[in-house]
Amino acid sequence: EINDSDGHPSSSHQTLKGTSKWATSLENLLEDPEGVKRFREFLKKEFSEENVLFWLACEEFKKTQGKKQMQEKAKEIYMTFLSSKASSQVNVEGQSRLNETILETPHPLMFQKLQDQIFNLMKYDSYSRFLKSDIFLNHKKSEEQEENSPEAQTAAKRASRIYNT
């Protein structure tokens, strides 16, 4: 078995990382902390950062344990994103049907339909614009420059000499 410099088994096909992975799907972008950071930066410029913040809050909410913590987090999500007085209100259909009474008996998937709406809004709207944005393209360019740097090439040549003997 051949291992890479980190001691992990290396595969013949490189796994996608960074911008290449982000460009394959919104799901991949949202799994990468750096991707989320860049996407938030982009959405902030578009005045729709609340969408990804709501999506992230819902993901976090699903992991919440204990009724008291769930009630507190559910109320926080409601007050921040869903209430008519919300500071970062998201634009979802059926929002008015989610009233404060459901906050008393929270469950992990209580925001799922709304989260799905926001996910689809991002996926079919802002995500495609993000992939064409300067934020994404500049990050991609700097990644490519790092990959093509003399240090990276030297390491690759050393590795190929080691494995091809």
Side-chain angles (χ1 to χ4, degrees), residues 11-146:
S11 59
S12 55
H13 59 291
Q14 283 288 319
T15 52
L16 293 176
K17 59 180 194 272
T19 53
S20 303
K21 193 170 183 183
W22 304 349
T24 59
S25 73
L26 178 57
E27 290 86 344
N28 284 339
L29 170 71
L30 293 172
E31 285 171 6
D32 182 344
E34 183 66 24
V36 169
K37 180 180 162 191
R38 301 294 174 172
F39 193 46
R40 277 185 64 183
E41 209 177 302
F42 169 74
L43 291 176
K44 202 177 276 185
K45 288 183 175 182
E46 292 214 329
F47 304 101
S48 60
E49 184 188 21
E50 68 278 358
N51 290 336
V52 74
L53 294 176
F54 173 71
W55 189 88
L56 292 166
C58 291
E59 285 298 290
E60 198 57 42
F61 178 75
K62 290 176 196 173
K63 300 174 197 160
T64 305
Q65 302 291 312
K67 188 178 179 191
K68 186 92 181 111
Q69 287 89 331
M70 283 187 94
Q71 284 175 324
E72 287 169 9
K73 274 200 174 172
K75 185 172 177 146
E76 186 183 324
I77 288 172
Y78 180 81
M79 297 311 284
T80 306
F81 302 105
L82 301 170
S83 153
S84 58
K85 303 179 217 60
S87 54
S88 300
Q89 193 175 28
V90 290
N91 185 11
V92 288
E93 293 170 34
Q95 189 173 319
S96 54
R97 286 179 307 197
L98 185 71
N99 62 37
E100 288 185 60
T101 56
I102 82 157
L103 300 177
E104 298 307 312
T105 54
H107 58 88
L109 301 177
M110 66 188 281
F111 297 115
Q112 190 63 53
K113 280 186 177 153
L114 301 176
Q115 185 186 14
D116 290 345
Q117 282 184 34
I118 291 298
F119 180 84
N120 286 326
L121 180 70
M122 292 188 300
K123 183 175 184 172
Y124 297 110
D125 184 40
S126 41
Y127 174 64
S128 52
R129 285 196 308 280
F130 170 70
L131 295 178
K132 297 173 190 144
S133 73
D134 287 345
I135 291 172
F136 176 81
L137 296 172
N138 291 338
H139 192 73
K140 184 177 178 179
K141 194 176 184 180
S142 68
E143 265 184 3
E144 288 165 356
Q145 286 171 344
E146 282 175 29

Side-chain angles (χ1 to χ4, degrees), residues 148-163:
N148 296 326
S149 72
E151 297 85 30
Q153 288 182 351
T154 307
K157 283 179 189 168
R158 268 199 315 270
S160 69
R161 276 200 305 269
I162 294 167
Y163 300 131

